Amino acid sequence: MKLIYHVLIRLSLALLIVLTAWTVFFYYTMIEEINDEVDDALEDYSETIIIRSLAGRELPSTGDGTNNSFQINEISPEEAKMYPPIKYYDADIYIKEKEETEPARILRTVFTNNDGRYFLLEVSTPSFEKEDLREAITNWIIFLYIVLLITLLLVCIWIFYRSLTPLYSLLNWLDNYQPGKQHTLIENKTNIREFRKLNDAARQAVERSEQLFNQQKQFIGNASHELQTPLAVCNNRIEWLLDNTELTEEQMKELFKTKHTLNYIVRLNRSLLFLSKIDNGQFSEIQSININDIVTHLLEDYKEIFGHYELAVSLEIKGLLFINMNEALAEALVSNLLKNAFVHNIEKGFVQVIVNEHELIITNSGLSSSLDSEHIFKRFYHGNRKKESTGLGLAIVDAICRQYHLQIFYQYMEKKHCFRIQK
């Protein structure tokens, strides 16, 4: 997920929490303020009624247009003790004029006259539907939340992209950077100190990467030259000993084992050097390669080399497969897959090759068990590797596929090992 999305999601949640808390606070504050004003009016009205009642004057009429109403009932001293001196509460009252029940705010108080008699006074005034108020406030808060959210998101997106333009320029430059290839120096002018430090750090990292790449490239070249020569000399000396000295049978066996080991080291060294060159991107020439021609040519060669296996080899061409890649790597890709199918096979088994416009499929018989699909393309994988194998063939295939963004799949079904290359 991009950074901007993280920011927007968290901003939306924060805004939702803040507005929800503010809504609850606003609602209860407004209710309290309204009740306070109404309670003051009820208190004044109740005082007027009490004063007139004690003075024996005429009480206010309930139909005076104020919508206020009152009720006075005489109670015993024992009942008077059961009521608090004054109490405010909400209730539904029936209004005769409207012939309906409406919410009201009610004041209840107890007073005595000059004769010591106790009276219960209830004064009420129409109030408002709190449920309707809550619904109205909720609807308006939701509307306000949506408007504020859209506005803030748009403003944040604009500010975010304007502020992070130097970062995106640096990321784009790093995406296009490849060690060993020509690249322009980053020109990322910014007044933000953190971005300037990040640009400097990226330039220093690239310089170190270029230096290490050149050192590695030089080491690979030196290793290719320095190691091959002594290995060839050792191999020639063993051959000279075999041809020009009188050896016992045991000595000849040991020399043949040594020669076999040297040949293995030569192949291993050659494979490692080749794999390093692939990883370092030293095969830069790219052209449209006809995979069908390479498959046909190499298949004939391997049929002759591994003829003693008596394998049933079939080639099915359903279309022409062209891939834009280096010619040497294309041959290495097909060669290693075919060699893997021939070497890791059984006597009188089969090798089946299918080529179409989008993929190359190589299927072969082999051991009746699946390979470890998670580790099969790693270097020196020790599955059912044979002695003459270096364990780098499929690692080279995987490196070439990664170089040209090809997809490689392994599948085992019906006692068949299947490798599929898709472009």
Side-chain angles (χ1 to χ4, degrees), residues 2-67:
K2 289 186 176 181
L3 175 62
I4 182 62
Y5 297 145
H6 279 285
V7 174
L8 295 181
I9 290 174
R10 293 176 180 177
L11 179 62
S12 303
L13 293 176
L15 183 62
L16 178 61
I17 294 173
V18 170
L19 279 180
T20 301
W22 180 86
T23 301
V24 174
F25 172 78
F26 174 77
Y27 172 77
Y28 284 105
T29 302
M30 185 173 61
I31 294 296
E32 184 179 355
E33 186 66 26
I34 293 175
N35 287 339
D36 186 62
E37 292 295 329
V38 174
D39 292 346
D40 290 341
L42 287 175
E43 187 176 353
D44 294 340
Y45 188 55
S46 65
E47 289 178 356
T48 300
I49 294 175
I50 292 173
I51 291 173
R52 289 191 179 188
S53 176
L54 295 177
R57 297 166 55 190
E58 181 181 2
L59 298 178
S61 173
T62 56
D64 58 358
T66 61
N67 290 328

Side-chain angles (χ1 to χ4, degrees), residues 167-185:
L167 176 62
Y168 287 114
S169 298
L170 177 60
L171 292 176
N172 183 61
W173 183 77
L174 290 174
D175 286 338
N176 295 326
Y177 167 74
Q178 291 184 359
K181 294 186 177 181
Q182 292 184 352
H183 58 274
T184 58
L185 294 177

